[in-house]
Structures are given as structure tokens and as C-alpha cells.
């Protein structure tokens, strides 16, 4: 498969700027891999496709307010700082992206907050926009993290061309988010409401939680025609023994295992034994799934509609079958489904 196989024309008006009014009332396209049938439903209808003993695998990562705005010393120029990952808690070192990058050099200081209560010094260049910052703050580590949360903004994707609203802090987060560390939401999970989760529970569906801290690399467009040359950014992940037990027991019973989102799928596929069972894991993954690919555990998956040439689209193609994925996407464009983070959902069975 080549990069050009994953290109299509996506009209700008189909990129969702706001979430659906109610989480579980976005649209749902159901794609059947065996029959090739495509159905149009509401997300809450998902309950009809699962039975007692089936398992949904959720990514319980929590998005932190990763976007800060500071001012450069002397010039006062406004600089956006996007926190990517903490490198050293004790020294308060962080990997960040800065914008505009051309103005930010090693040794520069940036000031944050109306009272300049937080200062950062640029100590290294990592990529064209990447920098390593050392934060300077008078206070304990806990107070420093609180300050980051106070000054930070919900990191809704750049394509959403509007100011962040207070609602984004809630809606750009799954209702089961627990483990802080993502700079982007695992978006398939945004469609689950408390009410829907309760209904699924009553029907006997089990939930297994894994953690994959979504980094910005997930959304980097692929820029090489030969997919085998693309390198994914590494993302931190945790799979507990408890999650393995729930998933492996479902497989043994011949129940369905459904991955909620591409991130849950990447986490699971990063820690599979040769016997096709899930192993506990704590570490990093840079797994890139593209066709052809033999999936080990999931029988079905829930995902959003992805942008052209994205690694997410490539995984969907591998799971769904390329021709059926193209047919489903053509249908989505025709029926004006909403794309990307705040968009509609697809269930592939």
C-alpha cells in the first residue's frame, strides 16, 4: 500500500468544530466486514450489537491542559507553548513545541501568567518547532503542576478554528478518563455517556481499561509514499494484569472483544503473545499499523472518521479491508458525516 491510496477530498465543512449536543447522540455508521453492508444509526444504538460477556476495551488516558501562552523576555512577543511530555519531574524539564518557533532560541526566557509567576528557560532545540524547557517556579512540585493546569488551555486540535470554550474542558475528555498524560483525546471514547455505559453494564458488557497517553504524533500526516519508511512517535502505555484477565477470558469464552478507538487497538497490538493472548506491559510503543496486518485480539472496533493520509485511516483500512473502507468513506462524504475529533463514529464489526 502507498500513501496515495489514502488520499481523498475532505470538504472543510465536514470537519466538526463542536461536539454533538449529547455525547451518545452523534451519528454512527455500522460497517459489516463479512457482508459489506453499511447501516446508519445513532451512537446509542451501539448496545444492539453486543451481548452478555462481550468486552469493550477503553483507553482511560486523561487529557491535560497542554497549551500555554507566554511572553518572550524583552520583546514581549506572544508565544504559544504546547507541552508534549515531562522529561524530568525534579528539574521540571519538558519537551514542548513553540509557535512561532523562529523567534525562540536557546537561552531565551518565557514568562507566563498576568503576574509572571511562572518562568521557563529554553535549554535545547529538539526539532524545527521542538524545544526543551526548564520551568522555574517558587513552590513545591504539586503547586507547580497546579500552576500548569491553572494557566493551561484544553488542547483542542488546531483545525478547530475557534477560541477554546469552558465546555471543551469537559467535552474533550472521555467520561472514564483517569490517568493524566495525553495531549489529545482518544476521540472514539468521547461518544460514551454515563447513561449509555450504565445500559451496557446492565446488558452484561464488561469493560477493560488500558492506558495509552496520546501524543501529537498520532495526528502527524504521513509524508513518505512508502509506508514502511514512516516512523511513529513513541507514546507511553500501560496494560494491567486485570485488563489482560478480562480480555483473555472473553477470548477463551468466544465472546467479542471491541476496541474503543485506534489508541486502544495500538496498545493491545503492542503487547500480544505468540498464543494471541494479551500480556501486561508498562513502557512505550511506536507501533504503526497499516495494511496488510493480521490483528490478534479485537473482533470489532469503534472509531471516528479520520482525515486523509493519517496513520489512523491506515489502521482502519487494515482492519476493515481497504476497498470496504473506501466505500464506507465515500458513503460518509455523501451522507455528510462529521469528521475528526468532535465528529461522528463508525463501528466496524
Amino acid at each position: 500500500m502507498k500513501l496515495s491510496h489514502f488520499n481523498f477530498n475532505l470538504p472543510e465543512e465536514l470537519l466538526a468544530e463542536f461536539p454533538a449536543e449529547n455525547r451518545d447522540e452523534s451519528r454512527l455508521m455500522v460497517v459489516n466486514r463479512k457482508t459489506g453492508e453499511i447501516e446508519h444509526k445513532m451512537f446509542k444504538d451501539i448496545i444492539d450489537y453486543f451481548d452478555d460477556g462481550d468486552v469493550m476495551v477503553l483507553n482511560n488516558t486523561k487529557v491535560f491542559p497542554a497549551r500555554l501562552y507566554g511572553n518572550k523576555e524583552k520583546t514581549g512577543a506572544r508565544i504559544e507553548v504546547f507541552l508534549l511530555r515531562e522529561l524530568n519531574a525534579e528539574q521540571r524539564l519538558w519537551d514542548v513545541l513553540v509557535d512561532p518557533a523562529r523567534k525562540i532560541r536557546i537561552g531565551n526566557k518565557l514568562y507566563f501568567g498576568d503576574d509572571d509567576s511562572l518562568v521557563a528557560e529554553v535549554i535545547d532545540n529538539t526539532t524545527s518547532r521542538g524545544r526543551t524547557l526548564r520551568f522555574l517556579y517558587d513552590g513545591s512540585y504539586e503547586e507547580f503542576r497546579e500552576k500548569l493546569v491553572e494557566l493551561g488551555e484544553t488542547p483542542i486540535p488546531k483545525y478547530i478554528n475557534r477560541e477554546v470554550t469552558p465546555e471543551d474542558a469537559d467535552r474533550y475528555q472521555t467520561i472514564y478518563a483517569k490517568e493524566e498524560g495525553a495531549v489529545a483525546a482518544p476521540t472514539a471514547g468521547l461518544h460514551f455517556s454515563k447513561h449509555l455505559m450504565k445500559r451496557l453494564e446492565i446488558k452484561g458488557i464488561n469493560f477493560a481499561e488500558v492506558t495509552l497517553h496520546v501524543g501529537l504524533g498520532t495526528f502527524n500526516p504521513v509524508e513518505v509514499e512508502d509506508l514502511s519508511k514512516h516512523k511513529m512517535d513513541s507514546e507511553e502505555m500501560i496494560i494491567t494484569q486485570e485488563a489482560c484477565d478480562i480480555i483473555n477470558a472473553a477470548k477463551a469464552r468466544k465472546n467479542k472483544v471491541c476496541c474503543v478507538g485506534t489508541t486502544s487497538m495500538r496498545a493491545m497490538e503492542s503487547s500480544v503473545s505468540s498464543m494471541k493472548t494479551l500480556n501486561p506491559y508498562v513502557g512505550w510503543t511506536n507501533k504503526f499499523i497499516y495494511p496488510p496486518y493480521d490483528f490478534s485480539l479485537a473482533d470489532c472496533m469503534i472509531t471516528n472518521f479520520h482525515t486523509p493520509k493519517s496513520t489512523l485511516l491506515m489502521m482502519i483500512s487494515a482492519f476493515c479491508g481497504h476497498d470496504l473502507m473506501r466505500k464506507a468513506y465515500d458513503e460518509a462524504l455523501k451522507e455528510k458525516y462529521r469528521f475528526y475529533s468532535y465528529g461522528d463514529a463508525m463501528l466496524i464489526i
Side-chain angles (χ1 to χ4, degrees):
M1 302 294 288
K2 298 273 190 277
L3 178 62
S4 45
H5 291 130
F6 297 93
N7 200 12
F8 62 93
N9 185 31
L10 177 59
E12 212 168 295
E13 68 268 16
L14 296 187
L15 285 170
E17 294 259 312
F18 291 92
E21 195 174 335
N22 298 310
R23 283 182 188 267
D24 57 16
E25 288 183 353
S26 54
R27 293 163 78 194
L28 175 72
M29 179 187 284
V30 183
V31 180
N32 189 314
R33 293 184 290 169
K34 276 205 184 82
T35 65
E37 188 191 356
I38 292 174
E39 298 176 278
H40 303 287
K41 303 279 187 177
M42 298 282 282
F43 190 80
K44 57 189 176 189
D45 299 329
I46 211 153
I47 194 165
D48 300 334
Y49 294 87
F50 295 94
D51 299 305
D52 185 16
D54 290 344
V55 170
M56 287 189 173
V57 184
L58 311 174
N59 181 5
N60 66 8
T61 187
K62 189 174 186 180
V63 180
F64 67 94
R67 191 173 273 130
L68 303 171
Y69 291 97
N71 298 99
K72 191 179 166 191
E73 64 178 336
K74 296 182 182 144
T75 66
R78 188 175 193 244
I79 306 293
E80 179 191 306
V81 172
F82 196 103
L83 302 172
L84 290 177
R85 61 174 71 106
E86 187 174 50
L87 300 174
N88 184 310
E90 204 179 314
Q91 294 182 36
R92 297 177 190 174
L93 294 183
W94 282 75
D95 244 348
V96 306
L97 295 177
V98 292
D99 194 17
R102 65 183 186 283
K103 296 184 173 178
I104 302 302
R105 299 192 172 88
I106 293 171
N108 286 160
K109 283 200 170 73
L110 301 171
Y111 292 85
F112 302 90
D114 296 337
D115 54 357
D116 296 343
S117 54
L118 183 64
V119 182
E121 185 179 5
V122 182
I123 61 167
D124 200 5
N125 297 328
T126 52
T127 60
S128 57
R129 285 180 56 215
R131 303 289 183 271
T132 302
L133 297 189
R134 177 186 285 119
F135 282 98
L136 313 167
Y137 181 72
D138 288 335
S140 67
Y141 178 73
E142 285 68 30
E143 288 166 332
F144 163 65
R145 290 300 298 237
E146 278 167 24
K147 182 55 91 173
L148 286 184
V149 170
E150 177 198 320
L151 295 174
E153 204 176 78
T154 303
I156 60 172
K158 275 286 194 191
Y159 81 86
I160 295 182
N161 209 358
R162 61 171 173 80
E163 292 294 307
V164 173
T165 67
E167 288 76 45
D168 286 315
D170 172 51
R171 291 302 301 273
Y172 196 61
Q173 196 82 270
T174 64
I175 59 163
Y176 46 76
K178 290 191 187 106
E179 305 294 336
E180 192 172 82
V183 298
T187 54
L190 297 179
H191 304 284
F192 285 86
S193 63
K194 287 197 171 79
H195 180 62
L196 179 58
M197 296 282 280
K198 198 75 205 154
R199 286 175 63 217
L200 288 164
E201 219 174 281
I202 290 165
K203 195 171 178 182
I205 283 92
N206 298 315
F207 299 103
E209 294 186 10
V210 298
T211 307
L212 186 138
H213 291 315
V214 190
L216 277 189
T218 295
F219 305 111
N220 282 351
V222 179
E223 288 169 345
V224 284
E225 185 64 10
D226 178 353
L227 300 186
S228 64
K229 303 262 192 305
H230 178 69
K231 293 279 183 287
M232 292 286 278
D233 282 5
S234 289
E235 293 167 316
E236 199 172 0
M237 58 172 271
I238 301 160
I239 297 178
T240 61
Q241 184 64 55
E242 184 189 1
C244 294
D245 292 345
I246 295 168
I247 292 162
N248 292 335
K251 292 304 286 181
R253 292 192 306 267
K254 304 271 193 290
N255 275 103
K256 288 199 287 284
V257 171
C258 179
C259 270
V260 177
T262 56
T263 56
S264 304
M265 184 72 89
R266 281 184 60 231
M268 287 208 323
E269 289 293 327
S270 297
S271 191
V272 175
S273 75
S274 56
M275 308 293 291
K276 298 212 169 183
T277 56
L278 189 61
N279 292 330
Y281 182 81
V282 176
W284 296 76
T285 180
N286 63 351
K287 192 167 191 66
F288 175 28
I289 298 174
Y290 59 95
Y293 184 86
D294 183 20
F295 290 84
S296 307
L297 292 161
D299 305 287
C300 47
M301 76 180 293
I302 299 165
T303 186
N304 277 27
F305 288 92
H306 306 296
T307 47
K309 297 185 179 178
S310 60
T311 59
L312 311 173
L313 185 62
M314 290 160 193
M315 183 194 291
I316 301 315
S317 165
F319 191 74
C320 190
H322 192 71
D323 291 344
L324 184 55
M325 181 276 285
R326 291 301 304 226
K327 180 182 160 190
Y329 268 61
D330 286 345
E331 183 87 356
L333 293 168
K334 191 177 98 206
E335 295 292 330
K336 300 209 172 342
Y337 273 76
R338 288 148 35 94
F339 276 66
Y340 215 40
S341 302
Y342 274 152
D344 295 316
M346 178 191 274
L347 168 64
I348 307 168
I349 55 176

